Amino acid sequence: SIYFAVSGDHKKLGRVLDCSGSVENFLGVPKLMLVGKNINSIMPHYFAEKHDNLIKASYEKQRFSVLDKIRDVPVKDQNGFLVPSLIHISLNFLPEIGLCYYGLLKTLKDERRVILIDQDGQVTNYSENFALDMGIQENVGGIEFEISHFCPDMQEAILALMPARKKKNKTTFFRM
């Protein structure tokens, strides 16, 4: 498991204040490279570009729907591959820091394949095991393809599920 302390202060919103040294074992990223950076740096692009606004909106509305729940989240390792994980987030106020989010992340290394697919069926990120199993040689950012290239029947099923999801959610996370 990896522990994260992330600033909820408007000036340092989303900045990693501290994390476990074990982050390097799980994600390949040294602790010193994460502390001071935005937590978005370990998120897939789709989630990273929305994360700060979600934190701001939660703070302003005083609704923290992600707190004290265990959630599935994909995080990126140092090579950009997805690592399926579970996270529990809590919130605390410390006089010297202000609002601080505490996250306990448990990576699920036993998962075989993980992919993120956008509303058009385009694969935007995937796990290292997915790449190995599918024979993908290129780096995560260097190849774009539709899921139908590997699983023609799956594209129809995925696209059929997409309208049932909220319109604002344009990417779907699948563990296979």
Side-chain angles (χ1 to χ4, degrees):
S1 294
I2 305 167
Y3 151 82
F4 287 97
V6 176
S7 176
D9 179 71
H10 280 285
K11 293 178 184 172
K12 297 179 181 177
L13 189 66
R15 299 282 173 226
V16 176
L17 302 172
D18 192 20
C19 65
S20 308
S22 62
V23 70
E24 188 165 8
N25 296 335
F26 290 104
L27 301 179
V29 180
K31 175 181 176 173
L32 292 176
M33 289 188 68
L34 277 178
V35 173
K37 288 194 174 179
N38 196 301
I39 192 68
N40 297 356
S41 64
I42 64 167
M43 295 179 185
H45 177 75
Y46 174 81
F47 296 102
E49 69 182 8
K50 296 174 180 358
H51 191 255
D52 282 349
N53 289 334
L54 291 173
I55 295 174
K56 285 177 191 174
S58 293
Y59 180 77
E60 290 167 2
K61 294 176 184 175
Q62 294 294 301
R63 286 192 215 139
F64 302 96
S65 62
V66 299
L67 298 181
D68 297 318
K69 296 176 185 170
I70 296 174
R71 303 176 71 100
D72 269 322
V73 293
V75 296
K76 293 187 316 183
D77 69 12
Q78 71 176 1
N79 298 315
F81 288 112
L82 294 180
V83 177
S85 305
L86 298 173
I87 193 164
H88 180 271
I89 301 170
S90 60
L91 182 64
N92 203 347
F93 180 83
L94 301 173
E96 64 277 6
I97 296 174
L99 275 181
C100 185
Y101 293 92
Y102 294 97
L104 187 59
L105 185 79
K106 178 180 166 98
T107 58
L108 303 172
K109 290 288 188 175
D110 62 329
E111 296 289 333
R112 292 297 298 151
R113 299 178 187 132
V114 178
I115 54 176
L116 279 177
I117 302 172
D118 70 13
Q119 74 273 12
D120 299 319
Q122 197 76 16
V123 175
T124 60
N125 280 97
Y126 43 86
S127 64
E128 187 171 15
N129 285 335
F130 178 84
L132 292 171
D133 290 347
M134 297 300 178
I136 300 170
Q137 301 296 317
E138 292 85 357
N139 188 353
V140 173
I143 185 171
E144 290 185 10
F145 57 89
E146 291 183 359
I147 192 60
S148 63
H149 293 171
F150 291 103
C151 310
D153 295 336
M154 189 174 200
Q155 177 130 2
E156 279 186 43
I158 290 169
L159 294 178
L161 290 173
M162 293 297 239
R165 302 183 63 81
K166 293 179 182 176
K167 293 285 183 191
K168 61 184 176 182
N169 186 2
K170 304 279 190 200
T171 298
T172 301
F173 171 48
F174 288 97
R175 285 191 291 164
M176 299 162 36

